[in-house]
């Protein structure tokens, strides 16, 4: 047994087993047109849920919402280019006057207080370690690393809010994450400006979804970016150490993203055992599939990675808070054809 927060959790065992036609996709794009027949996850497994907001997690995020004074700010070169590109488009389409540089800095300013107070490059792979509710853990407790960390990426996109329609794959991918977050913040900024707010107040409004910005850390970073700029880090790539792979599931080939915390690029303090109360997840594959018109995020653990006696998947219907409902299934069908790992 490992320490996890049990408040408000419930587990319901469902008994339905049936053959499903599933279409697996990663980043929302299928790599094949045939829909394989498979025993899949979806909502047919053991259900965990009943959890809600965790005040301790929110407090930890606020308390750690700072950046080392005067520390040089580093950012991955490839992720920076993705943010810069999204900012140029957002500034051009904005409903108020904002430069591409200001839009870039607006979007970057939340990342260091959220995931890299050292000033080192925020890792696109960052997984939250503050939420430790039982509702996020494998209800059958097959291995400690079978844990569904809800906040993902440099902007900590969480299924309770801005990440509800994202998957671990799209939240880690600095291209897709930037394409979502930059225009979101620019729109919030412009709404405040057009409502008569000052530029500083408008920036605060744009950052209001991030607890780490609550004490002024993001405004401080924004000013530092304007005066000192950022050092681009060539050692941090688009996925922050996660790897785009080819996988087969029931004989069909698909794109998938392999997420191994030990390979994180950039700031990796979040991978330390004592960083937060939530378990560090074992390496997993991230992909999305559609069943009966419903899209699900799936995280799939090979038994060789997790130490469990079988492969295990956890599924979340997109739009649903992971703390409210996850479906956990025993699996045996995924093969990583890039490396020849798994059920090949």
């Amino acid at each position: 047994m490992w320490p996890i927060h049990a408040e408000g959790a419930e587990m319901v065992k469902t008994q339905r087993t049936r053959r499903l036609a599933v279409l697996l996709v990663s980043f929302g794009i299928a790599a094949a047109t045939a829909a394989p027949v498979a025993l899949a996850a979806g909502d047919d497994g053991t259900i965990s849920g009943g959890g809600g907001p965790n005040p301790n997690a929110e407090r930890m995020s606020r308390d750690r919402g700072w950046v080392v004074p005067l520390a040089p700010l580093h950012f991955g070169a490839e992720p920076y280019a993705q943010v810069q590109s999204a900012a140029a488009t957002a500034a051009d389409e904005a409903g108020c006057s904002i430069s591409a540089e200001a839009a870039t800095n607006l979007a970057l300013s939340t990342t260091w207080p959220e995931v890299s107070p050292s000033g080192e490059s925020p890792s696109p792979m960052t997984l939250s370690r503050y939420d430790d509710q039982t509702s996020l853990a494998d209800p059958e407790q097959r291995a400690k690393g079978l844990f569904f960390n809800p906040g993902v990426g440099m902007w900590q996109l969480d299924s309770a809010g801005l990440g509800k329609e994202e998957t671990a794959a799209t939240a880690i991918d600095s291209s897709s994450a930037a394409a979502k977050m930059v225009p979101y913040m620019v729109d919030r900024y412009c709404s405040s400006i057009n409502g008569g707010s000052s530029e500083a107040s408008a920036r605060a409004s744009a950052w209001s979804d991030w607890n780490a910005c609550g004490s002024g850390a993001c405004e401080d970073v924004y000013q530092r970016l304007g005066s000192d700029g950022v050092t681009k880090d060539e050692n941090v790539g688009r996925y922050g150490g996660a790897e785009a792979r080819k996988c087969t599931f029931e004989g069909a080939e698909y794109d998938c993203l392999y997420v191994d915390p030990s390979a994180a690029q950039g700031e990796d303090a979040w991978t330390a055992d004592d960083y937060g109360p939530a378990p560090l997840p074992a390496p997993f594959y991230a992909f999305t599939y559609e069943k009966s018109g419903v899209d699900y995020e799936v995280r799939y653990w090979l038994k060789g990675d997790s130490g469990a006696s079988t492969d295990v998947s956890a599924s979340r219907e997109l739009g649903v808070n992971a703390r409210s409902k996850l479906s956990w299934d025993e699996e045996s069908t995924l093969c990583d054809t890039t490396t020849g790992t798994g059920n090949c």
Side-chain angles (χ1 to χ4, degrees):
M1 181 75 70
W2 54 91
I4 47 180
H5 189 71
E7 181 178 352
E10 64 180 35
M11 295 179 290
V12 180
K13 179 72 175 181
T14 63
Q15 299 297 328
R16 292 182 295 152
T17 303
R18 56 195 174 96
R19 296 191 66 80
L20 305 171
V22 298
L23 177 63
L24 295 181
V25 294
S26 176
F27 321 135
I29 302 174
T33 57
V37 176
L39 285 173
D43 57 0
D44 293 326
T46 301
I47 304 300
S48 66
N54 184 343
N56 288 331
E58 295 173 2
R59 176 186 55 78
M60 290 184 71
S61 180
R62 287 192 298 269
D63 289 349
R64 293 185 177 183
W66 60 281
V67 181
V68 174
L70 304 180
L73 298 174
H74 297 78
F75 205 87
E78 189 173 5
Y80 184 88
Q82 302 289 353
V83 174
Q84 194 173 43
S85 176
T89 300
D92 185 58
E93 298 175 353
C96 67
S97 177
I98 183 172
S99 68
E101 180 182 4
T104 299
N105 292 346
L106 182 74
L108 293 177
S109 293
T110 63
T111 62
W112 288 281
E114 275 288 327
V115 302
S116 184
S118 67
E120 292 302 312
S121 300
S123 177
M125 194 202 289
T126 305
L127 301 171
S128 62
R129 296 289 304 283
Y130 301 157
D131 279 284
D132 61 344
Q133 293 99 316
T134 301
S135 56
L136 296 168
D138 174 20
E140 297 190 13
Q141 300 183 3
R142 284 165 282 206
K144 180 179 179 179
L146 299 177
F147 191 84
F148 200 102
N149 305 71
V152 183
M154 297 181 291
W155 288 286
Q156 286 295 278
L157 299 183
D158 193 303
S159 60
L162 295 176
K164 64 183 179 181
E165 298 294 341
E166 304 301 316
T167 69
T170 60
I172 287 172
D173 180 358
S174 57
S175 177
S176 60
K180 176 185 178 79
M181 297 318 304
V182 177
Y184 174 81
M185 281 187 258
V186 169
D187 286 348
R188 292 289 300 268
Y189 173 84
C190 285
S191 292
S192 291
I193 287 291
N194 294 336
S197 296
S198 67
E199 292 184 357
S201 294
R203 288 192 292 270
S205 176
W207 299 324
S208 61
D209 291 289
W210 287 269
N211 288 322
C213 294
S215 297
C218 296
E219 178 65 24
D220 177 65
V221 168
Y222 181 85
Q223 297 300 331
R224 288 164 64 178
L225 287 171
S227 60
D228 302 328
V230 64
T231 300
K232 299 178 184 65
D233 184 352
E234 297 290 344
N235 295 315
V236 177
R238 173 176 175 174
Y239 303 111
E243 297 181 4
R245 301 274 183 89
K246 291 290 185 181
C247 294
T248 58
F249 190 88
E250 291 294 318
E253 184 180 76
Y254 303 94
D255 296 329
C256 54
L257 190 71
Y258 184 63
V259 182
D260 180 358
S262 70
Q265 297 169 345
E267 177 58 78
D268 62 357
W270 59 274
T271 66
D273 288 340
D274 61 353
Y275 182 79
L280 184 69
F284 61 89
Y285 292 84
F287 54 87
T288 309
Y289 76 85
E290 178 188 355
K291 182 186 73 176
S292 302
V294 177
D295 291 327
Y296 293 87
E297 172 188 7
V298 176
R299 300 185 191 181
Y300 189 112
W301 289 268
L302 293 175
K303 62 183 180 181
D305 284 333
S306 72
S309 60
T310 66
D311 292 359
V312 176
S313 70
S315 301
R316 176 186 68 87
E317 181 180 340
L318 294 186
V320 173
N321 185 345
R323 301 163 185 81
S324 300
K325 183 180 180 182
L326 293 170
S327 179
W328 298 80
D329 269 308
E330 182 177 311
E331 298 279 7
S332 62
T333 55
L334 187 139
C335 167
D336 178 343
T337 58
T338 302
T339 62
T341 305
N343 307 285
C344 300

